[in-house]
Amino acid sequence: MSEKEQSASLDMLSAGHARIKHLRTYMPGVVLCATVAMAAQFIGEHYGGPVILLALLLGMAFNQLAEDTTFERGIEFCARSLLRFGVALLGVQISFDQLQTIGSAPYVLVLISVPSVIGFSFLVGKVLNFNPVQSLIAGIAVAICGVAAVLAVLAVIPKTKQDDKHSLCILVGVTGVSTCCMLLYPLLAGSLGIQDDGLGLFLGATIHDIAQVVGAGYLVSDHVGDVAIFTKMLRVSLLVVLVLLVSLYYRKQAVPRSKGISLPIPAFLIGFMSLMILVNTVDVAQPLVDELGHFSRLCLLLTIAALGVKTQLVAMVRKGWKSLIHLICNTLFLAALTLLLLQLY
């Protein structure tokens, strides 16, 4: 072997070693989330109780590990990357026949509620002395998809220190508020007699983050979870339109924006829609569909465990009570509006 070949081989070995070392940084957090998920599965199977809720509560017991650098990367991987992958795979469980039974209700709910919540957020913002940018951030956090929507819009709006502090409070608060919604909304809807498709529509149209929609929907039943996640995907699809409009507005106003950020088209949304179309137009073996659905639920269970570990309700209140009030007002308005639309439709 020549010196050049030996050098190339050493470079490849070095690069491989670096990749392995990088992957090892994810292992502690992933193992922690997997342990929590398996414990929740064991308790649910042997002693009863909803596995999703058990994973969340058990994860919260390990909250002090969320900021430990040893576990941080793995927890973040489960909470974000694994979530997107699991949600994309959920597309295999949605059939066109199922959508026909739901009808046009998801589209009506989303097209009315999303702009209404954003408009309401500006009204509440005036009362709380927030500027338009701050009101927009609080509005899209509730109307679209929580943290993901906030980060997307932050990429195309002007930034000040005051706005950055408000955005941080919204990012922390929306996860806590959404977690509370995940736990309370199924009980609220049940007490109001909302079931099956109506319950799935309500959960998908009102809960902020995708992980909590998954948790609340599949906490009730697989069918309710499927309806909820489809409705949520409709809300997420409006993110691209909203970011485009905001970007064009600030470009017209000649306001400096963040550089190097392109228009976000969520890859998991594309994957979700592509798989849904594929399984409904191509003869895919049912065992394969069942396995993909099972693997999707496993990914989402790990996500819920990671979400529990990351949940910091005390920090949410400490960082900004006015921002928290803004979020709660928007959340209550969205829930009330959705209930009204469900009654009228």
Side-chain angles (χ1 to χ4, degrees), residues 149-172:
V150 173
L151 295 176
V153 173
L154 284 176
V156 294
I157 62 175
K159 294 182 179 181
T160 66
K161 289 184 178 180
Q162 182 182 10
D163 292 341
D164 283 346
K165 180 181 178 181
H166 176 77
S167 299
L168 177 61
C169 295
I170 294 296
L171 287 170
V172 175

Side-chain angles (χ1 to χ4, degrees), residues 300-323:
L300 295 174
L301 184 61
L302 287 171
T303 295
I304 295 298
L307 181 66
V309 176
K310 290 182 62 178
T311 299
Q312 297 179 328
L313 298 179
V314 175
M316 175 187 68
V317 177
R318 287 177 179 174
K319 284 186 178 292
W321 62 271
K322 287 181 66 175
S323 299

